[in-house]
Amino acid sequence: MASAELRIINRRIKSVKSTKKITRAMELIASSRIVKAQQRLSSSNNYTNLLAQIVEELTGSGEMPTSPVTEGTKRITLVVITSDRGLAGAYNTNILKLAEVRKSEYEKLNNKVEIVTVGKKANGYFKYRNIEPKQNYEGITDEPNFENALQIMTPLVEEFYEGKTNQIELVYTEYQSAMTQTALYKTVLPFEVEQIAKEIESAGGYTFEPSASQVLSNIIPKYTNATIYSALLNASTSEHAARMRAMKAATENAEELIKILSRKSNQARQAEITTEISEIVGGAEALAG
Amino acid sequence: MFVEVVCPEENCFSGDATMVISRTPNGEIGILDGHEQTVATLMPGGLTIEHDNTRTSFAISGGILQITGEKVIVLGELIEKIDGDHEKAIEIGQELGKKAFPAE
């Protein structure tokens, strides 16, 4: 009996050890990717900040004005950004929870909500709940590039200007530091272009080529593209950070488990030896007697 | 004057320059030191910067150009550095423009 127990424990140790190797490798991969992702994030922030700075200087206000909340039924498109793969701790759960909250909030106000998903996890989540995403994009969250942002945003912006959707909102995870990532939402469109244009003309100081409103209508799509690109990069960096943390915890747990199991294995081995000795001694005594 | 060329994926150029050449909807522009404060839309095409007695050309999918006193900032969505002159940059830039705005 004892030897069977020993075998079972040793087998478990072996399996935990190989799991540990995998989690450790995933941790290392995530930590190397995070560095690259951070660099891309900071250069995209540079671009977005310069763009925002120009608009701010033009309008003379700190924020891009958004349109006031209109009454009645609106069609709202939620762009939910998750990862393609799991094993990233609570990363996907947090973002899907927030998306669900935003969706039900809008639906309470009698709005029609449509979903666009980025990442396999979001797609699976909504499909399982019988909500068919309007569009699904996969294979871009690992290393998003600017063309991916255009690919997602161009059809949405077209729909917006055709009046098929009245508002576009992003739900994604913002990367604050290696330890902190927050799920948040951000409205991309609408912008009140005409209102800003008037403010620009009165601001003075700048010459516009060809005209203030045309420059602005050129800046706005760039701003929306930059917003979604930055959201994709934030999400990707957060994903790698979340995965790194989750895998680090998993590796540590595996180590702990190996320690406990080796103690048990030692005990079992000792018990086996003791049984054998007592059997031998018992046998010898029986022969001597 | 100090020139900065930035696209979302990287910082393409930053440094002192004597002249910047590009194209707005109103036509080709060359920017020298002391240009008046301007914000302009750039057409898909070329962007050439003259600095240290050499010229560096970029293909640009369109963008925004801001001139503030001593600084020129060019923001473009897709920018590629070109081994060649301004003409070649214009050619490649127009292709990039189609990529960035497929509808137009």
Side-chain angles (χ1 to χ4, degrees):
Chain A
M1 283 303 282
S3 82
E5 198 190 338
L6 184 62
R7 264 210 310 279
I8 289 166
I9 292 171
N10 281 343
R11 204 187 296 148
R12 274 198 70 193
I13 291 177
K14 228 170 137 189
S15 108
V16 173
K17 268 188 183 161
S18 71
T19 309
K20 189 187 133 188
K21 265 185 203 156
I22 295 168
T23 57
R24 177 97 186 114
M26 284 183 81
E27 183 194 335
L28 292 176
I29 291 168
S31 63
S32 80
R33 284 203 173 160
I34 217 173
V35 179
K36 234 170 137 192
Q38 264 171 329
Q39 282 167 356
R40 287 145 62 92
L41 187 60
S42 74
S43 55
S44 117
N45 280 345
N46 189 18
Y47 174 83
T48 319
N49 289 343
L50 283 172
L51 203 56
Q53 203 182 315
I54 292 179
V55 179
E56 274 168 32
E57 273 175 31
L58 296 184
T59 56
S61 70
E63 262 176 62
M64 296 273 270
T66 49
S67 78
V69 181
T70 45
E71 296 294 317
T73 307
K74 282 197 294 181
R75 286 163 162 272
I76 293 161
T77 305
L78 284 186
V79 182
V80 185
I81 305 174
T82 62
S83 68
D84 281 337
R85 287 173 300 145
L87 293 178
Y91 171 76
N92 286 316
T93 328
N94 286 343
I95 205 77
L96 290 170
K97 242 190 242 163
L98 181 69
E100 198 65 59
V101 169
R102 292 303 290 167
K103 185 171 170 288
S104 57
E105 269 175 19
Y106 280 127
E107 278 171 347
K108 249 184 231 159
L109 297 168
N110 282 327
N111 294 311
K112 194 168 177 295
V113 179
E114 288 176 309
I115 306 276
V116 170
T117 55
V118 180
K120 254 185 203 160
K121 291 286 159 185
N123 190 35
Y125 177 89
F126 286 109
K127 270 197 173 151
Y128 181 72
R129 284 159 185 77
N130 285 327
I131 301 162
E132 188 63 36
K134 189 161 66 170
Q135 245 336 311
N136 174 44
Y137 299 94
E138 280 174 18
I140 61 178
T141 50
D142 240 10
E143 268 182 46
N145 59 34
F146 193 74
E147 281 173 38
N148 297 139
L150 291 176
Q151 190 191 338
I152 296 170
M153 214 54 207
T154 313
L156 287 178
V157 171
E158 264 169 34
E159 278 184 19
F160 180 79
Y161 285 115
E162 282 166 11
K164 284 184 192 159
T165 182
N166 307 109
Q167 189 178 339
I168 301 170
E169 187 172 295
L170 298 176
V171 185
Y172 66 103
T173 311
E174 193 187 48
Y175 178 82
Q176 283 158 339
S177 70
M179 292 310 290
T180 335
Q181 295 97 36
T182 338
L184 50 78
Y185 54 87
K186 194 177 200 175
T187 305
V188 190
L189 281 168
F191 277 128
E192 287 284 292
V193 177
E194 275 138 45
Q195 192 195 327
I196 308 177
K198 262 182 219 152
E199 280 177 41
I200 290 182
E201 307 262 31
S202 60
Y206 282 99
T207 314
F208 294 98
E209 274 206 54
S211 70
S213 60
Q214 273 193 24
V215 167
L216 203 76
S217 59
N218 200 299
I219 288 184
I220 299 295
K222 289 196 168 47
Y223 199 81
T224 55
N225 287 339
T227 310
I228 186 148
Y229 180 58
S230 131
L232 284 175
L233 283 180
N234 265 299
S236 154
T237 317
S238 303
E239 180 194 332
H240 294 314
R243 179 162 297 124
M244 192 181 87
R245 250 179 318 141
M247 288 302 110
K248 196 170 181 209
T251 310
E252 277 162 14
N253 285 345
E255 268 163 17
E256 190 70 20
L257 202 56
I258 288 171
K259 238 188 236 165
I260 294 168
L261 284 175
S262 1
R263 247 177 238 136
K264 269 195 186 164
S265 144
N266 288 344
Q267 266 174 16
R269 199 189 60 227
Q270 204 53 54
E272 197 181 324
I273 292 167
T274 315
T275 324
E276 266 176 32
I277 289 174
S278 62
E279 272 168 9
I280 291 166
V281 172
E285 265 174 20
L287 283 178
Chain B
M1 62 187 168
F2 189 78
V3 179
E4 217 173 336
V5 180
V6 182
C7 75
E9 291 183 340
E10 59 182 333
N11 218 334
C12 304
F13 181 90
S14 98
D16 278 312
T18 46
M19 182 160 70
V20 177
I21 306 165
S22 195
R23 223 176 110 210
T24 70
N26 291 347
E28 201 92 358
I29 52 164
I31 299 152
L32 295 168
D33 224 349
H35 197 285
E36 67 171 335
Q37 294 204 342
T38 306
V39 176
T41 317
L42 294 183
M43 300 290 283
L47 170 77
T48 296
I49 298 165
E50 203 178 270
H51 61 104
D52 307 323
N53 293 325
T54 51
R55 285 187 167 199
T56 308
S57 290
F58 298 93
I60 184 167
S61 71
I64 304 286
L65 178 116
Q66 188 194 29
I67 307 167
T68 57
E70 290 301 291
K71 205 171 174 190
V72 177
I73 298 170
V74 180
L75 298 176
E77 296 197 318
L78 302 172
I79 301 181
E80 266 176 36
K81 198 172 171 179
I82 301 296
D83 285 328
D85 57 2
H86 193 65
E87 304 304 316
K88 194 178 170 196
I90 290 175
E91 216 174 280
I92 299 173
Q94 280 167 349
E95 303 249 317
L96 284 183
K98 281 178 205 155
K99 217 163 159 186
F101 316 103
E104 285 170 23

